[in-house]
Amino acid sequence: GAFTEKQEALVNGSWEAFKANLPYHAGVFYTLILEKAPAAKGMFSFLADGVDTNNPKLKAHAEKVFELTRDAAVQLRANGVVVVANAPSLGAVHVEKGVVDAHFLVVKEALLKTIKEATGDKWNDELSNAWEVAYDALSAAIKKAMS
Ligand code: HEM
C-alpha cells in the first residue's frame, strides 16, 4: 500500500533521535556492519583502522545513509516513488568499491538495529517497518543505477 503520513512521521521522529547522538550511533552502525561483513573493512577508506567515531568521514557517510533513507520516506509519502539526485555517480562509486546486492541487506539490518537502539522505548514494529520500506526503495534506486 501507499506510504502513509504516519510512517513518514515515524521515520522523521526517529531520524532526529539518530542525529541527536550521531557519533555514537555511527559507531553502532559500522560495528554491526563489520560483524556481519568483515570484508567491509577493506571497502570503506575510513574503516581501515577500525571503527573510530571521531573520524569525520565515518560520521559523514553514516549520516548520508540515514539521511537519504529519511529523504526516501518523504518522497514515498509525497510521490510514491524515490528518485536519487546523483544516481549515476552514486551507482558508479558503489560498483567501483565492489558493493554487491548482499551488502545492501547487511547495511539494512545494521540500519534497523541502530534505529532500534536510538529510539529506545519508542521503538516498535511499525516504526521499524517504515524505515525498512524507505530503505528498500532507496536501495532499489541505487542498485538500478549500479546495473
Ligand atoms: C560511498 C550512500 C549502501 C559502501 C557512498 C556515498 C554515499 C553513499 C552518499 C558517498 C559517495 C561519494 O563519494 O560521492 C549509500 C546509501 C546506501 C549505501 C544511501 C544504501 C541505501 C552501501 C552498501 C555498501 C556501501 C550496501 C557496502 C557495504 C560504500 C563505500 C563507499 C560508499 C565503500 C566509499 C566510502 C569511502 O571509502 O569513502 N555511499 N550507500 N554503501 N558506499 Fe554507500
Side-chain angles (χ1 to χ4, degrees):
F3 202 78
T4 66
E5 194 176 342
K6 184 171 183 200
Q7 285 178 303
E8 183 187 359
L10 285 168
V11 171
N12 276 333
S14 42
W15 153 251
E16 296 299 336
F18 166 81
K19 242 181 99 170
N21 195 351
L22 180 59
Y24 174 74
H25 293 129
V28 169
F29 179 58
Y30 285 106
T31 301
L32 288 165
I33 289 173
L34 289 181
E35 272 171 26
K36 278 278 166 75
K41 198 175 165 152
M43 289 169 65
F44 290 96
S45 58
F46 48 79
L47 291 183
D49 301 319
V51 178
D52 171 11
T53 55
N54 291 315
N55 186 329
K57 277 193 172 180
L58 182 145
K59 278 185 279 187
H61 186 263
E63 184 171 23
K64 211 67 200 161
V65 172
F66 285 77
E67 187 176 27
L68 287 177
T69 305
R70 187 260 193 143
D71 285 353
V74 173
Q75 289 190 52
L76 281 177
R77 167 69 188 146
N79 314 316
V81 289
V82 175
V83 176
V84 181
N86 50 350
S89 69
L90 200 53
V93 168
H94 290 93
V95 170
E96 188 193 318
K97 296 286 177 178
V99 177
V100 296
D101 276 11
H103 293 133
F104 282 88
L105 199 57
V106 171
V107 167
K108 175 162 85 171
E109 281 176 12
L111 175 135
L112 295 178
K113 281 190 182 162
T114 303
I115 287 299
K116 182 170 186 176
E117 166 135 10
T119 52
D121 60 11
K122 292 216 176 80
W123 186 91
N124 58 45
D125 282 341
E126 194 182 10
L127 187 156
S128 186
N129 180 255
W131 276 92
E132 183 167 13
V133 170
Y135 176 87
D136 284 347
L138 173 63
S139 296
I142 296 175
K143 285 190 223 167
K144 197 174 165 199
M146 289 171 70
S147 65

